[in-house]
Amino acid sequence: MAIPARLIATVALPDASAVTQGFAFHSWPGLRRVLLRDGDNLSLFDLDRALVGNATPLTSVPNPWPQWTHGVHTSAPDGSLVVVCGQRSIRAIERSGRTRWEYHHGCWGEVTANTSGRGPSPKY
């Protein structure tokens, strides 16, 4: 049985490619939210509000590692806390921008390169 799809609305959001990759969408009973990179910030948007014309973020916190493009981030349903996954730690950031806690871990995605052409590769 074919199920036809039809466009019901569009909205422009920053770095919305994260939604299609499947890791920015958060769904709780009655809530559909996306947490997206927004310049040097991470912003939480309510999709139902955005689809009717209000694309103002519910929460926007500074991304402590804006150059780190890997990792999966999440938030509390009300946007009061955003948890950011970095290369060497995981940090919980309150809506005010204050760090509530941070957990340091071994480096994810360590890169090695031999810049001199001689000897072992240094680790970056």
Side-chain angles (χ1 to χ4, degrees):
M1 170 172 88
I3 301 174
R6 64 186 170 95
L7 180 65
I8 58 169
T10 61
V11 63
L13 295 172
D15 193 26
S17 65
V19 175
T20 60
Q21 295 169 5
F23 56 83
F25 185 73
H26 304 307
S27 179
W28 296 279
L31 299 174
R32 296 183 304 161
R33 309 261 163 96
V34 289
L35 183 62
L36 303 172
R37 292 173 151 296
D38 188 5
D40 287 345
N41 294 320
L42 289 168
S43 298
L44 181 68
F45 296 90
D46 182 293
L47 284 179
D48 294 316
R49 283 181 26 183
L51 290 171
V52 295
N54 184 354
T56 304
L58 297 171
T59 297
S60 188
V61 299
N63 183 349
W65 311 288
Q67 300 305 315
W68 175 249
T69 58
H70 306 291
V72 177
H73 316 302
T74 194
S75 72
D78 65 356
S80 61
L81 190 70
V82 174
V83 178
V84 183
C85 232
Q87 188 175 17
R88 292 178 178 85
S89 69
I90 299 169
R91 185 178 295 178
I93 304 169
E94 296 177 353
R95 182 179 278 140
S96 66
R98 184 179 80 85
T99 297
R100 182 179 296 178
W101 55 260
E102 185 168 12
Y103 174 78
H104 295 273
H105 57 73
C107 182
W108 293 337
E110 190 168 52
V111 178
T112 60
N114 186 337
T115 57
S116 68
R118 300 181 305 271
S121 299
K123 294 196 177 200
Y124 296 99

